[in-house]
Amino acid sequence: MRAARFTGPGRPLQVQEVPRPEPGPDEVLVRVRAAGVCATELHFTDGLLTPARTPITLGHEVAGTVEAVGGAVTAWEPGDRVAVHYLHSCGDCRQCRRGRENLCAAPRGMLAFASDGGFAEFVAVPARSLARIPEALAFVQAAPVACSVTTALHAAAVAGAGADDVAVVYGAGGVGSALVQVLRHRGARVVAVARSPRRRELARELGAEWTIDPADGDVGAQVQRLTGGADCVVELVGTADSGRQALAALAPGGALVYVGYSAERIELDPVRLVVPEQRILTSVSSTLAELEQGLDLVARGVVRSVVDRTEPLEAVDDVLGALARGEVTGRAVLVP
Ligand SMILES: [Zn+2]
Ligand SMILES: [Zn+2]
């Protein structure tokens, strides 16, 4: 089968022939129908993240059909339409038992980080890492849900955003456009921050009440002027500058929630956090339940899965280039 392989930072991905994986007894072989391309992929190619091994097949946003099942699998059968929860949590460790599968101590695998991902014709995954795709939902729309909508659902829960809260989405790309909608769904009033006019326009379409262009001046001051201060800011950019401005955007009692990151550091002045009792939180990944919830929200039209373009597997490097240049609004999806 064909697969797009990562061999090391600074090098283009290579679409190669590799052996088709064999599902183990409790695994399922999924024929990939759509695989979303995420900004995380760029962190492999820029060297900020290092997968457990190379070469490895990238792609952690996978939708497809069950091709074959291992001998011990009873929940799935060939032809089932499935999305893959990319972090294959064990279900048995202390974190999993507390419902914090995203922090699983002994994951069975993790697409594109530790095990071969979905930029390929097939991928083998544990049966317990699958969610059913509702009939109403196309594969191309379902694939990005596995990371963008799920990451947004988890971050909104960490932020605790609720009715009448002012919530800032700092960076309106793939996760950002999902977050705008998820926060709206929770009843929050949303501010979206984006440099690109197209992304600001999309954020307004998806329910943002205000949009801010960082080029118009200090983002913190703009948020304070428009809203009187944010109850939460979800940071999807992660530079020194965005971190400083996100803190300045908070109301007393507000929370800064880190989701995005870069190689840059931020400086903290504890007293300026303590006196207004502001908090810095982080949110990583998601749970299988959040994948099921995300697929349901998109199938019911509550959240739109914004797909910018679909491309063949061979175009993966062009797509990554477009993503790095900020030319993708929503998600680009590969159809192997
Ligand atoms: Zn992702
Ligand atoms: Zn676990």
Side-chain angles (χ1 to χ4, degrees), residues 38-41 60-61 86 147-148 151 331:
C38 174
T40 301
E41 253 85 51
H60 57 272
E61 306 181 354
Y86 61 86
C147 174
S148 65
T151 301
R331 270 289 192 269

Side-chain angles (χ1 to χ4, degrees), residues 47-122:
L48 192 60
L49 291 177
T50 307
R53 61 169 164 84
T54 49
I56 193 166
T57 304
L58 293 191
H60 57 272
E61 306 181 354
V62 179
T65 47
V66 172
E67 182 77 7
V69 300
V73 175
T74 53
W76 304 101
E77 54 185 47
D80 283 346
R81 303 168 82 246
V82 291
V84 181
H85 192 239
Y86 61 86
L87 174 62
H88 308 326
S89 42
C90 74
D92 292 326
C93 74
R94 186 163 171 263
Q95 298 288 6
C96 281
R97 286 198 311 272
R98 295 168 137 199
R100 305 203 300 204
E101 286 172 40
N102 57 319
L103 304 179
C104 176
R108 292 272 313 273
M110 191 171 177
L111 292 186
F113 293 83
S115 36
D116 281 326
F119 292 170
E121 290 176 81
F122 297 94

Side-chain angles (χ1 to χ4, degrees), residues 91-293:
D92 292 326
C93 74
R94 186 163 171 263
Q95 298 288 6
C96 281
R97 286 198 311 272
R98 295 168 137 199
R100 305 203 300 204
E101 286 172 40
N102 57 319
L103 304 179
C104 176
R108 292 272 313 273
M110 191 171 177
L111 292 186
F113 293 83
S115 36
D116 281 326
F119 292 170
E121 290 176 81
F122 297 94
V123 64
V125 298
R128 76 175 300 278
S129 298
L130 295 178
R132 198 172 296 277
I133 301 175
E135 278 308 317
L137 194 53
F139 293 115
V140 166
Q141 261 74 41
V145 174
C147 174
S148 65
V149 179
T150 52
T151 301
L153 284 168
H154 196 76
V158 167
D164 293 328
D165 281 348
V166 171
V168 176
V169 176
Y170 205 126
V175 173
S177 18
L179 248 173
V180 167
Q181 303 175 80
V182 167
L183 290 165
R184 275 295 302 134
H185 185 57
R186 292 175 67 108
R189 305 176 68 191
V190 180
V191 186
V193 182
R195 288 187 186 284
S196 139
R198 264 183 76 202
R199 286 183 174 183
R200 288 198 301 278
E201 194 187 308
L202 177 66
R204 271 193 298 273
E205 259 174 52
L206 298 175
E209 192 168 331
W210 305 275
T211 56
I212 285 177
D213 180 356
D216 289 342
D218 193 83
V219 171
Q222 291 193 67
V223 172
Q224 295 289 351
R225 193 175 62 244
L226 287 170
T227 70
D231 300 296
C232 64
V233 177
V234 184
E235 233 285 37
L236 300 166
V237 180
T239 61
D241 183 53
S242 62
R244 189 178 51 77
Q245 306 218 28
L247 282 171
L250 291 177
L256 168 55
V257 181
Y258 266 100
V259 176
Y261 43 81
S262 72
E264 295 181 13
R265 301 283 182 268
I266 57 162
E267 250 179 38
L268 286 179
D269 182 358
V271 69
R272 294 185 63 179
L273 284 174
V274 171
V275 172
E277 204 182 52
Q278 292 163 339
R279 294 158 295 148
I280 297 182
L281 306 170
T282 63
S283 172
V284 70
S285 187
S286 60
T287 62
L288 179 63
E290 285 163 338
L291 174 56
E292 288 173 340
Q293 192 188 350

